[in-house]
Amino acid sequence: TVVFKINDKLCEAEKGTTIIEACRKYGVPVPTLCYHPMLPPVGKCRLCLVDINNSGKLSPACTTPVAQDMEIQTNTPRVINTVKTNLELLLSSHPQECTGCESSGRCELQKLAYIYDIKGKFGGKMNENREAVDRSSPSVLRDMEKCVMCGRCVRACSVLQGMNILGFAGRGDTSVPETAFGLPIGTTTCINCGQCSFYCPVGAITENSCVREVHNILKNKDGRIVVFQTAPATRVAISEEFGMEPGTISTGKLAAALRELGADAVFDTNFTADLTILEEGSELLDRVANKGVLPMFTSCCPAWINMVEKLYPELIPNLSSARSPQGMMGSLIKRYWAQKMGVDPKKIVSVSVMPCTAKKDEITRPQLTLDDGTPETDFVLTTRELGKLIKLNNIPFASLKEIPHDDPLGESTGAADIFANTGGVMEAALRTAYEIGTGSPLPTMHFTPVRGFDSMKEAHIDFNGIDFKVAVVHGAANIHKYIEKMKKGEVSHHFVEFMVCKGGCIGGGGEPKSISADYLLKRMNGIYKIDDTKEMKKSHVNPSIQRLYKFFLEKPLSHKSHKLLHTHYKD
Ligand code: HC1
Ligand code: SF4
């Protein structure tokens, strides 16, 4: 450790710690736009300036490490004035539409402008004069006139995701993150993960929002029946939109908030996560028994499906044909529930609440439509968008009384909850497939080798005499590496779970924005806590799932199951 001073206060930190990390550890605010604890620092925005050893020379806190006996000042008049000037410079060309911006209220530039008391410095165009924004993607919307050139999107897309869709184009002041040849993003090999929108500190890249449309439908239903489903990861993250700690378990408040908003029914994607396990687990057992294509790959992450279809189409036969839980729920709502309730599926507006921007793309797949071509799921709201919708309607989220999700598509086991974490789908699948395949329960319910944040996790288990090997990979950059190794024969497994976002769905591109270093861990712990407190932990014991098979689907992989719960991919 090294000992140093921040604003005359004695502090200590591990050698190699950057000044900004040390300041955050001691609760000393340092302004920044380009720094994020999950991304490599680049020292680009020139806002995190500090004075070192009263030198009068200012250094960026995000790229300068602390040193023994260093004296750091974060708020000398020179520091403050320079930060102010740099902020004014950024605002001098910024569009003048903060009031209506999708990021209003969560914009890091807006916050800093307020803190540094910068008024009337906006020089950018007004709304009506603005050049076209890039609306070509169902998942993300790009409005580069709002860009502050921090490069967080570029680092997210290249370093975390290995996708390199966005890179700096142009020079100096005009250099902004662009796609290759400036093509509309929807025409590139972008996989819709939305990590760029999660890391954008302003409103330059946001999810392609449908908050207003859903809001308007709820306000004027006009005979329509509005039905929601809520993804596993949303229940431990939505609370952050209301100032609560990451990982706060809000399952019942989530359902209550949607009812307050006017939902006619609130179903749980967790129910179809359990159903996915039955279908995908049975498919796995079938592939093992009948020498089908192995390794089998999970198919619930829509950005991963995009990655396979766009970059690795030769691996399509490895994908499980099971739809994602969102896809299964969309199908059950308009085909099964509509029939059961005697309502016209055309009158149903089906909205899903997801931690993910790629889910917005998933619902546009022609495979996920009714026979007449209408989409099974009509809208996807990200967790962030739902936070906004709840605020728009002045619903006091924190004090809502918890209510359960609705039958018959609302009950779930702990196996479904853990879908939200990297390794969770694998663990849930093993809890069921092992028991069905061997006749005895998995030796340990907590299958720890596939838990945690290691980029690749492996485990093996004796399965009726087969040394059954599984792997879990999360973060698209790690997935590219895994596939390279697989092709070279350096890794070999029977079953692999892939999630494009770091941490799995809890780290989805549509989750509440956080600039802390431990939000993923807290969300992960929240999810495991739900599993720990649920009595039912295995998908196949879910009584609602058993009833659905008994009275409607017959059995996993039945003809009906295939039609409603499975899909195919582009080849
Ligand atoms: Fe996920 Fe899934 S777990 S993909 O990570 O299989 O988005 O939460 O809803 O569909 O259930 C996301 C989360 C989600 C699906 C499930
Ligand atoms: Fe890159 Fe994902 Fe953003 Fe597409 S959505 S540009 S792949 S970070």
Side-chain angles (χ1 to χ4, degrees), residues 140 153 156-157 161 163 165-166 185 190-196:
V140 293
C153 59
C157 189
Q161 303 301 62
M163 292 302 302
I165 300 298
L166 301 168
I185 195 163
C190 166
I191 54 175
N192 304 80
C193 69
Q195 287 298 318
C196 48

Side-chain angles (χ1 to χ4, degrees), residues 281-340:
S282 304
E283 184 186 352
L284 178 66
L285 293 173
D286 181 62
R287 287 190 189 212
V288 171
N290 298 311
K291 301 214 178 330
V293 179
L294 292 173
M296 188 171 94
F297 296 155
T298 56
S299 55
C300 42
C301 171
W304 157 239
I305 298 296
N306 286 341
M307 211 168 153
V308 175
E309 287 183 337
K310 292 185 176 189
L311 303 175
Y312 305 107
E314 68 283 6
L315 298 178
I316 287 175
N318 297 78
L319 289 172
S320 162
S321 67
R323 292 177 176 205
S324 76
Q326 170 178 271
M328 290 193 185
M329 182 60 88
S331 159
L332 288 177
I333 287 172
K334 288 200 184 172
R335 294 168 189 268
Y336 162 75
W337 185 74
Q339 191 188 329
K340 195 174 156 72

Side-chain angles (χ1 to χ4, degrees), residues 3 24 49 54 160-162 184 247 262 269 278 343 350 363 379 397 416 441 470 482 494 509 528 553 556 570:
V3 178
R24 288 194 172 187
L49 300 171
N54 296 310
L160 298 183
Q161 303 301 62
T269 318
L278 272 289
V343 299
S350 183
I363 62 166
F379 296 100
F397 187 84
V470 301
Y482 179 91
H494 294 92
Y528 284 130
L553 293 169
K570 281 184 209 129

Side-chain angles (χ1 to χ4, degrees), residues 421-481:
N421 289 344
T422 163
V425 179
M426 176 60 68
E427 185 170 339
L430 290 178
R431 288 181 191 178
T432 285
Y434 187 88
E435 189 163 323
I436 293 178
T438 66
S440 47
L442 196 65
T444 163
M445 192 62 75
H446 287 183
F447 202 66
T448 47
V450 295
R451 294 191 175 192
F453 290 105
D454 287 352
S455 55
M456 178 175 68
K457 296 165 278 184
E458 294 175 280
H460 60 123
I461 186 163
D462 178 58
F463 192 86
N464 292 337
I466 303 173
D467 184 23
F468 195 78
K469 294 190 186 124
V470 301
V472 170
V473 191
H474 60 125
N478 298 321
I479 297 180
H480 292 297
K481 283 186 206 143

Side-chain angles (χ1 to χ4, degrees), residues 124-375:
K125 295 173 203 157
M126 293 289 280
N127 204 355
E128 56 270 28
N129 302 327
R130 307 239 287 105
E131 280 160 33
V133 288
D134 182 355
R135 295 177 191 277
S136 61
S137 160
S139 299
V140 293
L141 192 137
R142 292 165 67 242
D143 187 352
M144 285 302 117
E145 286 184 45
K146 291 181 183 168
C147 178
V148 290
M149 292 159 286
C150 68
R152 272 161 44 172
C153 59
V154 174
R155 277 170 285 154
C157 189
S158 57
V159 182
L160 298 183
Q161 303 301 62
M163 292 302 302
N164 305 308
I165 300 298
L166 301 168
F168 277 104
R171 271 194 271 162
D173 285 354
T174 57
S175 160
V176 290
E178 252 310 341
T179 58
F181 311 112
L183 289 170
I185 195 163
T187 65
T188 69
T189 52
C190 166
I191 54 175
N192 304 80
C193 69
Q195 287 298 318
C196 48
S197 74
F198 175 86
Y199 284 101
C200 178
V202 294
I205 307 184
T206 61
E207 64 273 274
N208 197 347
S209 176
C210 55
V211 169
R212 297 282 167 183
E213 280 154 287
V214 175
H215 177 74
N216 292 341
I217 290 170
L218 286 164
K219 288 286 168 230
N220 179 18
K221 284 199 199 160
D222 196 18
R224 289 170 291 189
I225 299 157
V226 187
V227 180
F228 283 84
Q229 59 166 308
T230 63
T234 54
R235 66 207 62 212
V236 292
I238 183 73
S239 47
E240 292 165 52
E241 289 290 312
F242 303 95
M244 289 177 263
E245 272 289 288
T248 305
I249 299 165
S250 309
T251 317
K253 289 191 196 304
L254 187 56
L258 291 168
R259 276 286 188 184
E260 288 278 313
L261 284 169
D264 294 292
V266 183
F267 295 136
D268 203 346
T269 318
N270 280 31
F271 170 82
T272 36
D274 275 335
L275 194 59
T276 295
I277 291 302
L278 272 289
E279 292 295 326
E280 192 168 320
S282 304
E283 184 186 352
L284 178 66
L285 293 173
D286 181 62
R287 287 190 189 212
V288 171
N290 298 311
K291 301 214 178 330
V293 179
L294 292 173
M296 188 171 94
F297 296 155
T298 56
S299 55
C300 42
C301 171
W304 157 239
I305 298 296
N306 286 341
M307 211 168 153
V308 175
E309 287 183 337
K310 292 185 176 189
L311 303 175
Y312 305 107
E314 68 283 6
L315 298 178
I316 287 175
N318 297 78
L319 289 172
S320 162
S321 67
R323 292 177 176 205
S324 76
Q326 170 178 271
M328 290 193 185
M329 182 60 88
S331 159
L332 288 177
I333 287 172
K334 288 200 184 172
R335 294 168 189 268
Y336 162 75
W337 185 74
Q339 191 188 329
K340 195 174 156 72
M341 303 300 285
V343 299
D344 178 358
K346 291 232 176 59
K347 290 213 161 131
I348 297 177
V349 180
S350 183
V351 187
S352 79
V353 183
M354 293 279 142
C356 171
T357 54
K359 291 284 178 195
K360 288 176 183 277
D361 175 50
E362 184 184 285
I363 62 166
T364 67
R365 297 178 79 84
Q367 296 93 322
L368 304 184
T369 53
L370 298 178
D371 297 337
D372 67 359
T374 50

